[in-house]
Amino acid sequence: MKINENIILFSIFLFTLIVKIFLLPYTHIVDCDAVSRIFISQQWYENPYWITNGVWLPFHFYLNGFALWIYNDRGVTPALLNILLSCLSIFPFYHFVKKEFQS
């Protein structure tokens, strides 16, 4: 009996998502760079503008700013966005590895 690989892949995604959300209260944000990036993202979402200079690339600020627009909590929202994107990355990674190493 062969189980569909899409079901297995989605199960891995769901399991990883649940575990990461369960462990969310035990994380700590102590990096001053992370805090300053969130403040810049919040400033961007309150007053959108094209970011033309800076140390970090602007897509990060746009993405976090959009997430903060949906749910305005500087502590939880960036962590949830990070969790979601890291769990979603399993799909392209799986298909890349399958394509490269399938005989």
Side-chain angles (χ1 to χ4, degrees):
M1 181 173 146
K2 183 180 179 207
I3 299 175
N4 189 356
E5 62 187 30
N6 291 333
I7 293 173
I8 294 173
L9 191 59
F10 187 74
S11 299
I12 293 171
F13 163 76
L14 208 57
F15 175 75
T16 308
L17 185 68
I18 291 169
V19 168
K20 286 186 173 198
I21 288 176
F22 177 74
L23 294 175
L24 181 63
Y26 303 106
T27 60
H28 301 285
I29 302 170
V30 294
D31 184 15
C32 61
D33 282 344
V35 173
S36 63
R37 279 182 259 153
I38 296 306
F39 283 139
I40 293 170
S41 297
Q42 186 176 21
Q43 178 187 11
W44 179 84
Y45 109 81
E46 290 172 352
N47 185 18
Y49 59 95
W50 286 108
I51 300 173
T52 58
N53 58 5
V55 178
W56 301 293
L57 295 175
F59 183 70
H60 178 78
F61 301 120
Y62 302 150
L63 193 60
N64 277 325
F66 182 70
L68 286 168
W69 176 67
I70 293 172
Y71 184 67
N72 191 11
D73 186 350
R74 288 178 291 200
V76 175
T77 303
L80 287 176
L81 180 65
N82 187 6
I83 287 171
L84 182 63
L85 291 177
S86 68
C87 290
L88 284 174
S89 69
I90 202 166
F91 295 107
F93 179 71
Y94 170 78
H95 291 294
F96 171 74
V97 170
K98 182 180 175 184
K99 178 184 171 193
E100 289 297 317
F101 295 106
Q102 192 175 25
S103 4

Coordinates of all heavy atoms in Angstrom, one line a residue, residues 2-83:
K2 N 0.8 2.0 -1.1 CA 1.6 3.2 -1.2 C 0.8 4.4 -0.8 O -0.3 4.6 -1.3 CB 2.1 3.4 -2.6 CG 3.0 4.5 -2.8 CD 3.5 4.7 -4.2 CE 4.4 5.9 -4.3 NZ 4.5 6.5 -5.5
I3 N 1.3 5.2 0.1 CA 0.7 6.4 0.5 C 1.1 7.5 -0.4 O 2.2 7.7 -0.8 CB 1.1 6.8 2.0 CG1 0.6 5.7 2.9 CG2 0.4 8.1 2.4 CD1 1.1 5.9 4.4
N4 N 0.1 8.4 -0.8 CA 0.4 9.5 -1.7 C 1.5 10.4 -1.1 O 1.4 10.8 0.1 CB -0.9 10.2 -2.0 CG -0.8 11.2 -3.0 OD1 0.3 11.5 -3.5 ND2 -1.9 11.9 -3.4
E5 N 2.5 10.8 -1.9 CA 3.6 11.6 -1.3 C 3.1 13.0 -1.0 O 3.7 13.6 -0.1 CB 4.7 11.6 -2.3 CG 4.4 12.2 -3.6 CD 5.6 12.1 -4.6 OE1 6.3 11.1 -4.5 OE2 5.7 13.0 -5.5
N6 N 2.0 13.5 -1.6 CA 1.5 14.8 -1.3 C 0.9 14.8 0.1 O 1.0 15.8 0.9 CB 0.5 15.2 -2.3 CG 1.1 15.5 -3.6 OD1 2.2 15.9 -3.7 ND2 0.3 15.4 -4.7
I7 N 0.3 13.7 0.5 CA -0.3 13.6 1.9 C 0.8 13.5 2.9 O 0.8 14.2 3.9 CB -1.2 12.3 2.0 CG1 -2.4 12.5 1.1 CG2 -1.6 12.0 3.4 CD1 -3.2 11.2 1.0
I8 N 1.9 12.8 2.6 CA 3.1 12.8 3.5 C 3.7 14.2 3.6 O 4.0 14.6 4.7 CB 4.1 11.8 3.0 CG1 3.5 10.4 3.1 CG2 5.4 11.9 3.8 CD1 4.4 9.3 2.5
L9 N 3.9 14.9 2.5 CA 4.4 16.2 2.5 C 3.6 17.2 3.3 O 4.1 17.9 4.1 CB 4.6 16.7 1.1 CG 5.5 17.9 0.9 CD1 6.9 17.7 1.4 CD2 5.5 18.2 -0.6
F10 N 2.3 17.1 3.1 CA 1.4 18.0 3.8 C 1.4 17.7 5.3 O 1.3 18.5 6.2 CB 0.0 18.0 3.3 CG -1.0 18.9 3.9 CD1 -0.8 20.3 3.6 CD2 -1.9 18.5 4.8 CE1 -1.7 21.2 4.2 CE2 -2.8 19.5 5.4 CZ -2.6 20.8 5.1
S11 N 1.5 16.4 5.6 CA 1.6 16.0 7.0 C 2.8 16.5 7.7 O 2.8 16.9 8.9 CB 1.5 14.4 7.2 OG 0.3 13.9 6.6
I12 N 3.9 16.4 7.0 CA 5.2 17.0 7.6 C 5.0 18.5 7.8 O 5.4 19.0 8.8 CB 6.4 16.7 6.6 CG1 6.6 15.2 6.6 CG2 7.6 17.5 7.1 CD1 7.6 14.8 5.6
F13 N 4.4 19.2 6.8 CA 4.2 20.6 6.9 C 3.3 20.9 8.2 O 3.6 21.8 9.0 CB 3.5 21.2 5.7 CG 2.9 22.5 5.9 CD1 3.6 23.6 5.9 CD2 1.5 22.6 6.0 CE1 3.0 24.9 6.1 CE2 0.9 23.8 6.1 CZ 1.7 25.0 6.2
L14 N 2.2 20.2 8.3 CA 1.3 20.4 9.4 C 1.9 20.1 10.8 O 1.8 20.9 11.7 CB 0.0 19.6 9.2 CG -1.3 20.1 9.8 CD1 -1.6 21.5 9.3 CD2 -2.4 19.1 9.5
F15 N 2.7 19.0 10.8 CA 3.4 18.6 12.1 C 4.4 19.7 12.5 O 4.4 20.1 13.6 CB 4.0 17.3 11.9 CG 4.9 16.9 13.1 CD1 4.2 16.4 14.3 CD2 6.2 17.0 13.1 CE1 5.0 16.1 15.4 CE2 7.0 16.6 14.2 CZ 6.4 16.2 15.3
T16 N 5.2 20.2 11.5 CA 6.2 21.2 11.8 C 5.5 22.5 12.2 O 6.0 23.1 13.2 CB 7.0 21.4 10.6 OG1 7.5 20.2 10.1 CG2 8.2 22.4 10.8
L17 N 4.4 22.9 11.6 CA 3.7 24.1 11.9 C 3.2 24.0 13.4 O 3.3 24.9 14.1 CB 2.6 24.3 10.9 CG 1.8 25.6 11.1 CD1 2.7 26.8 10.7 CD2 0.6 25.6 10.2
I18 N 2.6 22.9 13.7 CA 2.0 22.7 15.0 C 3.1 22.8 16.1 O 2.9 23.4 17.1 CB 1.2 21.4 15.1 CG1 -0.1 21.6 14.3 CG2 0.8 21.1 16.6 CD1 -0.9 20.3 14.1
V19 N 4.2 22.1 15.9 CA 5.3 22.0 16.9 C 5.9 23.4 17.0 O 6.1 23.9 18.2 CB 6.4 21.0 16.4 CG1 7.6 21.2 17.2 CG2 5.9 19.6 16.6
K20 N 6.1 24.2 15.9 CA 6.7 25.5 16.0 C 5.7 26.5 16.7 O 6.2 27.3 17.5 CB 7.1 26.0 14.7 CG 8.3 25.4 14.1 CD 8.7 26.0 12.8 CE 10.0 25.5 12.4 NZ 10.7 26.3 11.4
I21 N 4.4 26.4 16.4 CA 3.5 27.3 17.1 C 3.4 26.9 18.6 O 3.3 27.8 19.5 CB 2.1 27.2 16.4 CG1 2.2 27.9 15.1 CG2 1.0 27.8 17.3 CD1 1.0 27.9 14.2
F22 N 3.5 25.6 18.9 CA 3.4 25.2 20.3 C 4.7 25.8 21.1 O 4.6 26.1 22.3 CB 3.4 23.7 20.4 CG 3.5 23.2 21.8 CD1 2.4 23.2 22.7 CD2 4.6 22.6 22.3 CE1 2.4 22.8 24.0 CE2 4.7 22.1 23.6 CZ 3.6 22.2 24.4
L23 N 5.8 25.8 20.4 CA 7.0 26.3 21.1 C 7.2 27.8 21.0 O 8.2 28.3 21.6 CB 8.3 25.6 20.4 CG 8.4 24.1 20.6 CD1 9.5 23.5 19.8 CD2 8.5 23.8 22.1
L24 N 6.3 28.5 20.4 CA 6.4 30.0 20.3 C 6.5 30.7 21.6 O 7.3 31.6 21.7 CB 5.2 30.5 19.5 CG 5.1 32.0 19.2 CD1 6.3 32.4 18.4 CD2 3.8 32.4 18.5
P25 N 5.8 30.3 22.6 CA 5.9 31.1 23.9 C 7.3 30.9 24.6 O 7.6 31.7 25.4 CB 4.8 30.4 24.8 CG 3.9 29.8 23.9 CD 4.7 29.4 22.7
Y26 N 8.1 30.0 24.1 CA 9.4 29.8 24.7 C 10.5 30.5 24.0 O 11.7 30.3 24.3 CB 9.7 28.3 24.8 CG 8.6 27.5 25.6 CD1 7.7 26.7 25.0 CD2 8.5 27.7 27.0 CE1 6.7 26.1 25.7 CE2 7.5 27.0 27.7 CZ 6.6 26.2 27.0 OH 5.6 25.6 27.7
T27 N 10.2 31.3 23.0 CA 11.2 32.0 22.2 C 11.4 33.3 22.8 O 10.6 33.9 23.5 CB 10.8 32.1 20.7 OG1 9.6 32.9 20.7 CG2 10.6 30.8 20.1
H28 N 12.6 33.9 22.6 CA 13.0 35.2 23.1 C 13.6 36.0 22.0 O 14.4 35.6 21.2 CB 14.0 35.1 24.2 CG 13.5 34.2 25.4 ND1 12.6 34.7 26.3 CD2 13.8 33.0 25.7 CE1 12.3 33.7 27.2 NE2 13.1 32.7 26.8
I29 N 13.2 37.3 22.0 CA 13.7 38.2 21.0 C 14.7 39.1 21.8 O 14.3 40.0 22.5 CB 12.6 39.1 20.3 CG1 11.6 38.2 19.6 CG2 13.2 40.0 19.4 CD1 10.4 38.9 19.2
V30 N 16.0 38.9 21.6 CA 17.0 39.7 22.3 C 17.9 40.4 21.4 O 18.8 41.1 21.8 CB 17.8 38.8 23.3 CG1 16.9 38.3 24.4 CG2 18.4 37.7 22.6
D31 N 17.8 40.2 20.1 CA 18.7 40.8 19.1 C 18.2 42.2 18.8 O 17.0 42.4 18.4 CB 18.7 39.9 17.9 CG 19.6 40.4 16.8 OD1 20.5 41.2 17.1 OD2 19.5 39.9 15.7
C32 N 19.0 43.2 19.0 CA 18.6 44.6 18.7 C 18.3 44.8 17.2 O 17.5 45.7 16.9 CB 19.6 45.6 19.2 SG 21.3 45.4 18.5
D33 N 19.0 44.1 16.3 CA 18.7 44.2 14.9 C 17.3 43.8 14.6 O 16.6 44.4 13.8 CB 19.7 43.4 14.1 CG 21.1 44.0 14.0 OD1 21.2 45.2 14.2 OD2 22.0 43.3 13.6
A34 N 16.9 42.7 15.1 CA 15.5 42.2 14.9 C 14.5 43.2 15.4 O 13.5 43.5 14.7 CB 15.3 40.9 15.6
V35 N 14.7 43.8 16.5 CA 13.8 44.8 17.0 C 13.7 46.0 16.1 O 12.7 46.6 15.8 CB 14.1 45.2 18.5 CG1 13.3 46.3 19.0 CG2 14.0 43.9 19.4
S36 N 14.9 46.5 15.7 CA 14.9 47.7 14.9 C 14.3 47.4 13.5 O 13.6 48.3 13.0 CB 16.4 48.2 14.7 OG 17.2 47.3 14.1
R37 N 14.5 46.2 13.0 CA 13.8 45.9 11.7 C 12.3 45.9 11.8 O 11.6 46.3 10.9 CB 14.3 44.5 11.2 CG 15.6 44.6 10.5 CD 16.0 43.3 10.0 NE 17.0 42.8 10.9 CZ 17.2 41.5 11.2 NH1 16.6 40.6 10.5 NH2 18.1 41.1 12.0
I38 N 11.8 45.5 13.0 CA 10.3 45.5 13.2 C 9.8 46.9 13.3 O 8.8 47.2 12.8 CB 10.0 44.6 14.4 CG1 10.3 43.1 14.1 CG2 8.5 44.7 14.7 CD1 9.8 42.6 12.8
F39 N 10.6 47.8 14.0 CA 10.2 49.2 14.1 C 10.2 49.8 12.7 O 9.2 50.6 12.4 CB 11.1 49.9 15.1 CG 10.8 49.6 16.5 CD1 11.8 49.5 17.4 CD2 9.5 49.6 17.0 CE1 11.6 49.2 18.8 CE2 9.2 49.3 18.3 CZ 10.3 49.1 19.2
I40 N 11.1 49.5 11.9 CA 11.2 50.1 10.5 C 10.0 49.5 9.7 O 9.3 50.3 9.0 CB 12.5 49.8 9.9 CG1 13.6 50.5 10.5 CG2 12.4 50.1 8.4 CD1 15.0 50.1 10.1
S41 N 9.7 48.3 9.9 CA 8.5 47.7 9.2 C 7.2 48.3 9.7 O 6.3 48.5 8.9 CB 8.5 46.2 9.5 OG 9.6 45.5 9.0
Q42 N 7.1 48.5 11.0 CA 5.9 49.2 11.5 C 5.8 50.6 11.0 O 4.7 51.0 10.6 CB 5.9 49.2 13.0 CG 4.6 49.7 13.6 CD 4.5 49.6 15.1 OE1 5.5 49.5 15.7 NE2 3.3 49.6 15.6
Q43 N 6.9 51.3 10.9 CA 6.9 52.7 10.4 C 6.5 52.6 8.9 O 5.7 53.5 8.4 CB 8.3 53.3 10.5 CG 8.4 54.7 9.9 CD 9.8 55.1 9.9 OE1 10.7 54.4 10.2 NE2 10.0 56.4 9.6
W44 N 6.9 51.6 8.1 CA 6.6 51.5 6.7 C 5.1 51.3 6.6 O 4.4 51.8 5.7 CB 7.4 50.4 6.0 CG 7.0 50.3 4.6 CD1 7.5 51.0 3.6 CD2 6.0 49.4 4.1 NE1 6.8 50.6 2.4 CE2 5.9 49.7 2.7 CE3 5.1 48.4 4.6 CZ2 5.1 49.0 1.8 CZ3 4.3 47.8 3.8 CH2 4.2 48.0 2.4
Y45 N 4.5 50.3 7.4 CA 3.1 50.0 7.2 C 2.2 51.2 7.6 O 1.1 51.4 7.0 CB 2.7 48.7 7.9 CG 1.8 48.8 9.1 CD1 0.5 49.0 9.0 CD2 2.4 48.8 10.4 CE1 -0.3 49.1 10.1 CE2 1.6 48.9 11.5 CZ 0.2 49.1 11.4 OH -0.5 49.2 12.5
E46 N 2.6 52.0 8.5 CA 1.8 53.2 8.9 C 1.9 54.3 7.8 O 0.9 55.0 7.7 CB 2.3 53.7 10.3 CG 2.0 52.8 11.4 CD 2.6 53.2 12.7 OE1 3.5 54.2 12.7 OE2 2.3 52.6 13.7
N47 N 3.0 54.4 7.2 CA 3.2 55.4 6.1 C 4.0 54.7 5.0 O 5.2 54.9 4.9 CB 3.9 56.6 6.7 CG 4.0 57.7 5.7 OD1 3.3 57.7 4.7 ND2 4.9 58.6 5.9
P48 N 3.4 54.0 4.0 CA 4.1 53.3 3.0 C 5.0 54.2 2.1 O 4.5 55.3 1.7 CB 3.1 52.6 2.2 CG 1.9 52.6 3.1 CD 2.0 53.7 4.0
Y49 N 6.2 53.8 1.8 CA 7.1 54.6 0.9 C 8.0 53.6 0.3 O 8.2 52.5 0.8 CB 7.8 55.7 1.7 CG 8.7 55.2 2.8 CD1 10.0 54.9 2.6 CD2 8.1 54.9 4.1 CE1 10.8 54.4 3.7 CE2 8.9 54.5 5.1 CZ 10.2 54.2 4.9 OH 11.0 53.7 6.0
W50 N 8.7 54.0 -0.8 CA 9.7 53.1 -1.4 C 11.0 53.3 -0.6 O 11.5 54.4 -0.4 CB 10.0 53.5 -2.8 CG 8.9 53.1 -3.7 CD1 8.0 53.9 -4.3 CD2 8.5 51.8 -4.2 NE1 7.1 53.2 -5.1 CE2 7.4 51.9 -5.0 CE3 9.1 50.5 -3.9 CZ2 6.8 50.8 -5.6 CZ3 8.5 49.4 -4.5 CH2 7.4 49.6 -5.3
I51 N 11.5 52.1 -0.1 CA 12.8 52.2 0.6 C 13.9 52.1 -0.4 O 14.1 51.1 -1.1 CB 12.8 51.0 1.6 CG1 11.7 51.1 2.6 CG2 14.2 51.0 2.3 CD1 11.6 49.9 3.5
T52 N 14.7 53.2 -0.5 CA 15.7 53.2 -1.5 C 17.1 53.1 -0.9 O 18.1 52.9 -1.7 CB 15.7 54.6 -2.2 OG1 15.8 55.6 -1.3 CG2 14.4 54.7 -3.0
N53 N 17.3 53.2 0.4 CA 18.6 53.0 1.0 C 18.5 52.3 2.3 O 17.4 52.3 2.9 CB 19.4 54.3 1.1 CG 18.6 55.3 1.9 OD1 17.5 55.0 2.5 ND2 19.1 56.5 2.0
G54 N 19.6 51.8 2.8 CA 19.6 51.2 4.1 C 20.5 50.0 4.1 O 21.1 49.6 3.1
V55 N 20.7 49.4 5.2 CA 21.5 48.2 5.4 C 20.9 46.9 4.9 O 21.5 46.1 4.2 CB 22.0 48.0 6.9 CG1 22.8 46.8 7.1 CG2 22.7 49.3 7.3
W56 N 19.6 46.8 5.2 CA 18.9 45.6 4.8 C 18.0 45.8 3.5 O 17.6 46.9 3.2 CB 17.9 45.1 5.9 CG 18.6 44.9 7.2 CD1 19.5 43.9 7.5 CD2 18.6 45.7 8.4 NE1 20.0 44.0 8.8 CE2 19.4 45.1 9.4 CE3 17.9 46.8 8.8 CZ2 19.6 45.6 10.6 CZ3 18.0 47.3 10.1 CH2 18.9 46.7 11.0
L57 N 17.8 44.7 2.8 CA 17.0 44.8 1.6 C 15.5 45.1 2.0 O 15.0 44.7 3.0 CB 17.0 43.5 0.8 CG 18.4 43.2 0.3 CD1 18.4 41.8 -0.4 CD2 18.9 44.2 -0.7
P58 N 14.8 45.9 1.1 CA 13.5 46.4 1.5 C 12.4 45.3 1.5 O 11.4 45.5 2.2 CB 13.2 47.5 0.5 CG 14.0 47.1 -0.7 CD 15.2 46.5 -0.1
F59 N 12.5 44.2 0.8 CA 11.4 43.3 0.8 C 11.1 42.7 2.2 O 9.9 42.5 2.5 CB 11.8 42.1 -0.2 CG 10.7 41.1 -0.3 CD1 9.5 41.4 -1.0 CD2 10.7 39.9 0.3 CE1 8.5 40.5 -1.1 CE2 9.7 38.9 0.1 CZ 8.6 39.3 -0.6
H60 N 12.1 42.6 3.0 CA 11.8 42.1 4.4 C 10.9 43.1 5.1 O 10.0 42.7 5.8 CB 13.2 42.0 5.1 CG 13.1 41.6 6.5 ND1 12.9 40.3 6.9 CD2 13.2 42.3 7.6 CE1 12.9 40.3 8.2 NE2 13.1 41.5 8.7
F61 N 11.1 44.4 4.9 CA 10.3 45.4 5.6 C 8.9 45.4 5.0 O 7.9 45.6 5.8 CB 10.9 46.8 5.5 CG 12.3 46.9 6.0 CD1 13.4 47.2 5.3 CD2 12.5 46.6 7.4 CE1 14.6 47.3 5.8 CE2 13.8 46.7 7.9 CZ 14.8 47.1 7.1
Y62 N 8.8 45.3 3.7 CA 7.5 45.2 3.1 C 6.7 44.0 3.6 O 5.5 44.1 3.9 CB 7.6 45.2 1.6 CG 8.3 46.3 0.9 CD1 9.0 46.1 -0.2 CD2 8.3 47.6 1.5 CE1 9.7 47.1 -0.9 CE2 9.0 48.6 0.9 CZ 9.7 48.4 -0.3 OH 10.4 49.4 -0.9
L63 N 7.3 42.9 3.7 CA 6.6 41.6 4.1 C 6.2 41.8 5.6 O 5.1 41.4 5.9 CB 7.6 40.5 3.9 CG 7.0 39.1 4.0 CD1 5.9 38.9 3.0 CD2 8.1 38.0 3.8
N64 N 7.1 42.2 6.4 CA 6.8 42.4 7.8 C 5.7 43.5 8.0 O 4.8 43.4 8.9 CB 8.0 42.7 8.7 CG 8.7 41.4 9.1 OD1 8.1 40.4 9.3 ND2 10.0 41.5 9.1
G65 N 5.8 44.5 7.3 CA 4.9 45.6 7.3 C 3.5 45.1 7.0 O 2.5 45.5 7.6
F66 N 3.4 44.3 5.9 CA 2.1 43.8 5.5 C 1.5 42.9 6.6 O 0.3 42.9 6.9 CB 2.2 43.1 4.2 CG 0.9 42.5 3.7 CD1 -0.1 43.4 3.2 CD2 0.7 41.1 3.7 CE1 -1.3 42.9 2.7 CE2 -0.5 40.6 3.2 CZ -1.5 41.5 2.8
A67 N 2.4 42.1 7.2 CA 1.9 41.2 8.3 C 1.5 42.0 9.5 O 0.5 41.6 10.1 CB 3.1 40.2 8.7
L68 N 2.2 43.1 9.8 CA 1.8 43.9 10.9 C 0.5 44.6 10.6 O -0.3 45.0 11.5 CB 2.9 44.9 11.2 CG 4.1 44.3 11.9 CD1 5.2 45.4 12.0 CD2 3.7 43.9 13.4
W69 N 0.2 44.9 9.3 CA -1.0 45.5 8.9 C -2.2 44.5 9.2 O -3.3 44.9 9.6 CB -1.0 45.9 7.5 CG -2.3 46.4 6.9 CD1 -2.9 47.6 7.3 CD2 -3.1 45.8 6.0 NE1 -4.0 47.8 6.6 CE2 -4.2 46.7 5.8 CE3 -3.0 44.6 5.3 CZ2 -5.2 46.4 4.9 CZ3 -4.1 44.3 4.4 CH2 -5.1 45.2 4.2
I70 N -2.0 43.2 9.0 CA -3.0 42.2 9.2 C -3.2 42.1 10.7 O -4.4 42.0 11.2 CB -2.6 40.9 8.6 CG1 -2.6 41.1 7.1 CG2 -3.5 39.8 9.0 CD1 -2.1 39.9 6.3
Y71 N -2.1 41.9 11.5 CA -2.3 41.7 12.9 C -1.2 42.5 13.6 O 0.0 42.2 13.6 CB -2.1 40.2 13.3 CG -2.3 39.9 14.7 CD1 -3.6 40.1 15.3 CD2 -1.3 39.5 15.5 CE1 -3.7 39.8 16.7 CE2 -1.4 39.2 16.9 CZ -2.7 39.3 17.4 OH -2.9 39.1 18.8
N72 N -1.5 43.6 14.2 CA -0.6 44.6 14.7 C -0.1 44.2 16.1 O -0.5 44.7 17.1 CB -1.2 46.0 14.7 CG -0.1 47.0 15.0 OD1 1.1 46.8 15.0 ND2 -0.6 48.3 15.2
D73 N 0.8 43.3 16.2 CA 1.5 42.9 17.4 C 3.0 42.7 17.1 O 3.3 41.7 16.5 CB 0.9 41.6 18.0 CG 1.4 41.2 19.4 OD1 2.4 41.9 19.8 OD2 0.9 40.3 20.0
R74 N 3.8 43.6 17.6 CA 5.2 43.6 17.2 C 6.0 42.3 17.8 O 7.0 42.0 17.3 CB 5.9 44.8 17.7 CG 5.6 46.0 16.9 CD 6.2 47.2 17.5 NE 5.6 47.5 18.8 CZ 5.7 48.6 19.4 NH1 6.4 49.6 18.9 NH2 5.1 48.8 20.6
G75 N 5.4 41.7 18.8 CA 6.1 40.5 19.3 C 5.8 39.2 18.7 O 6.6 38.4 18.4
V76 N 4.5 39.0 18.4 CA 4.0 37.7 17.8 C 4.0 37.7 16.3 O 4.3 36.6 15.7 CB 2.6 37.4 18.4 CG1 2.0 36.2 17.8 CG2 2.6 37.4 19.9
T77 N 3.6 38.8 15.7 CA 3.4 38.7 14.2 C 4.7 38.4 13.4 O 4.6 37.5 12.6 CB 2.9 40.1 13.7 OG1 1.6 40.3 14.4 CG2 2.6 40.1 12.3
P78 N 5.8 39.0 13.7 CA 7.0 38.5 13.0 C 7.4 37.1 13.2 O 7.9 36.4 12.3 CB 8.1 39.5 13.5 CG 7.4 40.6 14.0 CD 6.1 40.1 14.6
A79 N 7.2 36.6 14.4 CA 7.5 35.2 14.7 C 6.6 34.3 14.0 O 7.0 33.3 13.4 CB 7.4 35.0 16.2
L80 N 5.3 34.6 13.9 CA 4.3 33.8 13.2 C 4.6 33.8 11.7 O 4.5 32.8 11.0 CB 2.9 34.3 13.5 CG 2.3 33.9 14.8 CD1 0.9 34.6 15.0 CD2 2.3 32.4 15.1
L81 N 5.0 35.0 11.2 CA 5.3 35.0 9.8 C 6.6 34.2 9.5 O 6.6 33.4 8.5 CB 5.6 36.5 9.4 CG 6.0 36.7 7.9 CD1 4.8 36.4 7.0 CD2 6.4 38.2 7.7
N82 N 7.5 34.2 10.3 CA 8.7 33.4 10.2 C 8.4 31.9 10.3 O 8.9 31.1 9.5 CB 9.8 33.8 11.3 CG 11.1 33.1 11.1 OD1 11.3 32.4 10.1 ND2 12.0 33.3 12.0
I83 N 7.5 31.5 11.2 CA 7.1 30.1 11.3 C 6.4 29.7 10.0 O 6.7 28.6 9.5 CB 6.2 30.0 12.6 CG1 7.1 30.0 13.8 CG2 5.5 28.6 12.5 CD1 6.3 30.1 15.1

